[in-house]
Amino acid sequence: MVARKRGNPLALAVLGLLWERPMHPYEMATTLRERGKEHSIKINYGSLYTVVQSLEKHGLIEPQEVTREGRRPERTVYALTEPGELEMQSWLSELIGVPVKEYTSFEAALSLMGLLPPDTVVTLLEQRRERLTLTLHTIESMLRKLDMSRAFLIESEYHQVLLRAERDWIDGLVKEIRDGTFEDLALWRRLHEERDRG
Amino acid sequence: MVARKRGNPLALAVLGLLWERPMHPYEMATTLRERGKEHSIKINYGSLYTVVQSLEKHGLIEPQEVTREGRRPERTVYALTEPGELEMQSWLSELIGVPVKEYTSFEAALSLMGLLPPDTVVTLLEQRRERLTLTLHTIESMLRKLDMSRAFLIESEYHQVLLRAERDWIDGLVKEIRDGTFEDLALWRRLHEERDRG
DNA sequence: CCCCGAATACTCTGAGCCGAGTATTCGCCT
DNA sequence: AGGCGAATACTCGGCTCAGAGTATTCGGGG
């Protein structure tokens, strides 16, 4: 058998859930939503069922029983196999222990920002800054009224840290462009002025 | 015509390149690599050619001429259309001005870290910390010997800021788990000990 | 007691993306 | 002269993913 390709983290979440107890796919989705994991892991039905199929194909999970309640569609309850438990541990260990470069669309946008004139960029950055602050406030107030135990909040704590770092950095950048400290600002501006005339 | 679906940022980069001058796909790839954009935008041939096709289909770029050098394969040179220029500006503006949640695999992993025993997690986090520091050093020394103008480095400056924020946060987390300050640590540990015996 | 909307439990299709593979040519080294 | 690796310029098939669509049932209001 070929080495499993570790793609969608949703598959890892599935392994995690089955580590606790057997479940059918739909229940996995709702359980994940109840626990608020949808904010850190993208869940959607299409992917969920493909992912479960692929895990079964690789022998990491196996159908335990097929039940039916009333005349609802059948539910296949899956259980974790032993290879599945090992895979879950090794995969999760890799995700935590080995950083991988993730391509964000904002980083891409920054690398192309020279395509817009400086003043436009400043306006947009300020817009982003405001929106980030708003998101941050929303998260903070959500957490305050939720008051779950720390272990469930780790991921959103991390998320907040990154958001704040981004906001502060944008702040600095905006100031530099505004007061002309930004290197090659003149060049940048000239380029767009020429283009506008030409 | 249906509204274009703004997917792959590589398409935006293509629009950006054609804003400067007409080019054929292979040249786009090499130009982007020369400028080091491959670090902020994922480039691969498969996607590049699909993306160019789709841009042409939507009238944002158009073939200008088909040349041939020696007996190499033909090269189709594309140029930006006016709708293409507008789309590039509005798309880039959106990417800068409107933050969108991006799902990183580390955030997913954090939300599942309870599946591993605390001591394992600490070891893994320390591993990650070391690797992050290493990456940071590599980037710093690359930038030092590269000495390009600021405008070309913005994206990697941003990247560094995020890496540092992550590293510092991990530092704090590790300390909390180590010295027992971490909330519900006992519960977490007990859960795994029971499981080991059971 | 009947209707409507929410919840249950998936299924399906098309689009997008990846990256290994292909075929040719240039240039350098011996 | 000829052979080999790097560069040129794409192509192709398979896999994944999104998310809208489907069919059924339960619960509550009038």
Side-chain angles (χ1 to χ4, degrees):
Chain A
M1 170 146 4
V2 258
R4 227 184 71 69
K5 202 182 137 199
R6 289 170 176 177
N8 199 334
L10 181 55
L12 180 57
V14 166
L15 294 175
L17 286 171
L18 297 185
W19 185 77
E20 295 171 22
R21 61 187 169 80
M23 262 185 219
H24 58 96
Y26 189 80
E27 194 187 355
M28 299 175 194
T30 49
T31 309
L32 288 173
R33 294 224 163 87
E34 265 170 32
R35 302 191 187 165
K37 299 302 181 203
E38 40 162 9
H39 299 298
S40 37
I41 301 169
K42 213 185 240 157
I43 303 166
N44 79 36
Y45 291 115
S47 311
L48 178 59
Y49 288 89
T50 349
V51 140
V52 165
Q53 240 178 67
S54 145
L55 289 174
E56 182 185 354
K57 198 180 70 193
H58 289 86
L60 304 177
I61 66 178
E62 60 189 10
Q64 211 194 22
E65 49 167 353
V66 178
T67 69
R68 169 186 286 245
E69 228 161 84
R71 264 198 284 150
R72 296 256 186 74
E74 286 182 350
R75 303 173 308 178
T76 309
V77 176
Y78 291 89
L80 194 60
T81 64
E82 219 177 289
E85 184 172 353
L86 294 179
E87 170 67 1
M88 175 231 106
Q89 281 155 2
S90 113
W91 186 3
L92 184 50
S93 298
E94 189 184 327
L95 287 190
I96 298 178
V98 185
V100 294
K101 207 226 173 307
E102 322 244 11
Y103 295 84
T104 70
S105 55
F106 183 53
E107 200 177 336
L110 280 175
S111 86
L112 298 172
M113 85 179 175
L115 295 169
L116 297 176
D119 300 347
T120 310
V121 169
V122 166
T123 312
L124 291 167
L125 287 174
E126 277 167 342
Q127 219 172 89
R128 184 184 193 86
R129 209 211 89 98
E130 280 326 295
R131 298 214 160 114
L132 287 174
T133 306
L134 227 149
T135 310
L136 239 7
H137 285 142
T138 312
I139 296 179
E140 277 158 21
S141 77
M142 285 248 285
L143 290 185
R144 221 172 297 118
K145 81 176 55 164
L146 208 61
D147 126 284
M148 287 175 99
S149 100
R150 179 83 184 286
F152 288 108
L153 306 173
I154 268 302
E155 65 270 23
S156 87
E157 198 179 309
Y158 169 72
H159 189 213
Q160 282 179 76
V161 165
L162 291 196
L163 287 179
R164 285 201 199 97
E166 178 175 328
R167 191 195 44 185
D168 294 350
W169 178 77
I170 289 178
D171 256 3
L173 180 56
V174 166
K175 263 171 214 137
E176 282 185 59
I177 304 182
R178 275 201 174 292
D179 66 18
T181 324
F182 190 83
E183 204 184 328
D184 289 327
L185 181 61
L187 190 84
W188 181 10
R189 183 158 279 137
R190 190 143 31 80
L191 217 140
H192 281 275
E193 274 156 11
E194 273 162 25
R195 186 106 187 181
D196 278 357
R197 275 192 298 276
Chain B
M1 172 149 359
V2 256
R4 230 183 69 67
K5 201 181 138 197
R6 289 168 178 178
N8 199 334
L10 182 54
L12 180 57
V14 166
L15 294 176
L17 287 170
L18 297 185
W19 185 75
E20 296 172 20
R21 62 186 167 82
M23 265 186 218
H24 58 96
Y26 189 80
E27 193 186 356
M28 297 173 195
T30 50
T31 308
L32 287 174
R33 292 223 164 85
E34 267 169 30
R35 303 192 188 165
K37 299 301 182 204
E38 39 161 9
H39 299 298
S40 38
I41 301 170
K42 213 185 243 154
I43 302 167
N44 80 33
Y45 290 114
S47 310
L48 178 60
Y49 288 90
T50 347
V51 139
V52 165
Q53 240 179 69
S54 144
L55 288 175
E56 182 186 353
K57 198 180 71 193
H58 289 87
L60 304 177
I61 66 177
E62 59 190 10
Q64 210 194 22
E65 50 168 350
V66 179
T67 69
R68 170 185 286 246
E69 227 160 85
R71 262 200 284 144
R72 298 257 186 75
E74 286 182 348
R75 303 173 308 182
T76 309
V77 177
Y78 291 89
L80 193 61
T81 63
E82 217 177 291
E85 184 172 354
L86 293 180
E87 171 66 1
M88 176 234 107
Q89 281 154 2
S90 114
W91 187 0
L92 183 50
S93 297
E94 188 183 330
L95 287 190
I96 298 178
V98 186
V100 294
K101 206 224 173 308
E102 322 245 9
Y103 294 83
T104 71
S105 54
F106 183 53
E107 200 178 336
L110 280 175
S111 86
L112 298 172
M113 85 179 175
L115 296 169
L116 298 175
D119 301 348
T120 310
V121 169
V122 166
T123 312
L124 290 167
L125 287 175
E126 277 166 342
Q127 224 173 85
R128 185 185 193 85
R129 208 211 88 99
E130 280 326 296
R131 299 214 159 113
L132 287 174
T133 307
L134 227 148
T135 309
L136 276 168
H137 286 143
T138 312
I139 296 179
E140 277 157 21
S141 77
M142 285 247 286
L143 290 186
R144 219 172 299 117
K145 82 175 53 161
L146 209 62
D147 124 287
M148 287 175 97
S149 99
R150 178 83 185 283
F152 287 108
L153 305 172
I154 268 301
E155 65 271 23
S156 86
E157 198 179 307
Y158 170 73
H159 189 213
Q160 282 180 76
V161 165
L162 290 196
L163 287 178
R164 287 202 197 95
E166 177 174 330
R167 189 193 47 183
D168 295 349
W169 178 77
I170 289 177
D171 256 4
L173 180 57
V174 165
K175 262 170 214 141
E176 282 185 60
I177 304 182
R178 276 202 173 294
D179 66 18
T181 325
F182 189 85
E183 204 183 329
D184 288 328
L185 181 59
L187 190 85
W188 181 9
R189 183 158 278 137
R190 192 144 31 81
L191 216 138
H192 281 273
E193 274 156 11
E194 273 163 24
R195 183 107 187 181
D196 279 357
R197 276 193 298 273

